[in-house]
Amino acid sequence: MGHSKANKEESHARIVQTAAARFREAGVDGVGVAELMKDAGLTHGGFYRHFASRDELVAEAVERALSDGGRAVEAVAASKASRPVVAARLVDAYLSTAHRDALASSCAVTTLAGDVARGNERTRTAYTQEVNTYLDLLASLAAAEKSKEKRAKAIAALSSLVGAVSLSRAVNDEALSREILKAAADELKALLG
């Protein structure tokens, strides 16, 4: 591969990674192209050498952010610990203050839900696939005998995880924020059993 082609691919990847982090922090509409390019260490004029449109960048960045979360889910799924231990670890990590506060690297299923709901088909498809990946993992961790019951628990658990993190970020009362995280964690551990 030629030097300039390798540089272009590296720059493209850097733009996408920067956008994935910044979109989680500020939302898709909260960051402009010029700012993203500057954050990636590139000039604004080079944007269209990498993307046909801003929508194309948004789609790639959302896919990247979701992929990052998918790798974290795969790591949990690969654990050799017992099902209840893995479930508790997952809940504790997701509903931690560290996850709540680290927007740039946090779960895109939570941070980008509103943006994706207004997004194009490509971003919604990527989001749907990631939600299904999480549901499969949570169903495998749920204490239930019937697959329909496991699936229902997984949907309730994912909804609670995403909702609790969203609420804990939105309130401006630290004690209430921690209370939301703890209450949701306690309930989810009981639900997943």
Side-chain angles (χ1 to χ4, degrees):
M1 177 181 328
H3 181 67
S4 67
K5 186 175 180 183
N7 284 347
K8 183 177 180 182
E9 288 177 4
E10 180 184 312
S11 294
H12 185 94
R14 190 166 63 242
I15 296 165
V16 172
Q17 184 61 40
T18 300
R22 295 289 287 129
F23 290 162
R24 283 181 285 205
E25 287 177 323
V28 169
D29 292 333
V31 186
V33 169
E35 184 180 352
L36 283 172
M37 292 300 283
K38 182 180 177 187
D39 289 351
L42 301 164
T43 63
H44 177 255
F47 177 81
Y48 290 101
R49 284 193 295 270
H50 296 279
F51 306 96
S53 67
R54 186 176 192 281
D55 285 344
E56 183 180 318
L57 168 62
V58 169
E60 279 193 49
V62 168
E63 288 168 346
R64 175 61 185 263
L66 291 165
S67 172
D68 291 347
R71 283 194 296 282
V73 167
E74 288 171 9
V76 169
S79 173
K80 301 292 185 216
S82 68
R83 182 199 52 74
V85 169
V86 173
R89 286 180 186 162
L90 174 72
V91 167
D92 287 339
Y94 203 94
L95 296 178
S96 68
T97 56
H99 182 238
R100 176 198 67 192
D101 296 343
L103 283 170
S105 61
S106 69
C107 177
V109 171
T110 300
T111 58
L112 295 175
D115 291 309
V116 171
R118 294 180 293 278
N120 63 30
E121 194 64 23
R122 179 177 169 186
T123 58
R124 294 188 76 194
T125 297
Y127 190 90
T128 300
Q129 289 171 344
E130 197 60 31
V131 165
N132 279 316
T133 297
Y134 285 9
L135 291 175
D136 289 346
L137 171 64
L138 290 166
S140 75
L141 297 174
E145 292 189 22
K146 296 181 180 174
S147 61
K148 189 173 181 178
E149 185 181 350
K150 286 178 172 278
R151 174 86 174 168
K153 284 185 176 191
I155 290 170
L158 183 58
S159 299
S160 295
L161 289 165
V162 170
V165 171
S166 296
L167 286 171
S168 72
R169 286 178 175 153
V171 299
N172 67 354
D173 178 331
E174 179 64 21
L176 176 58
S177 178
R178 288 177 183 268
E179 184 180 11
I180 290 167
L181 294 173
K182 182 176 181 338
D186 292 347
E187 291 299 318
L188 284 173
K189 288 175 191 175
L191 173 74
L192 294 171

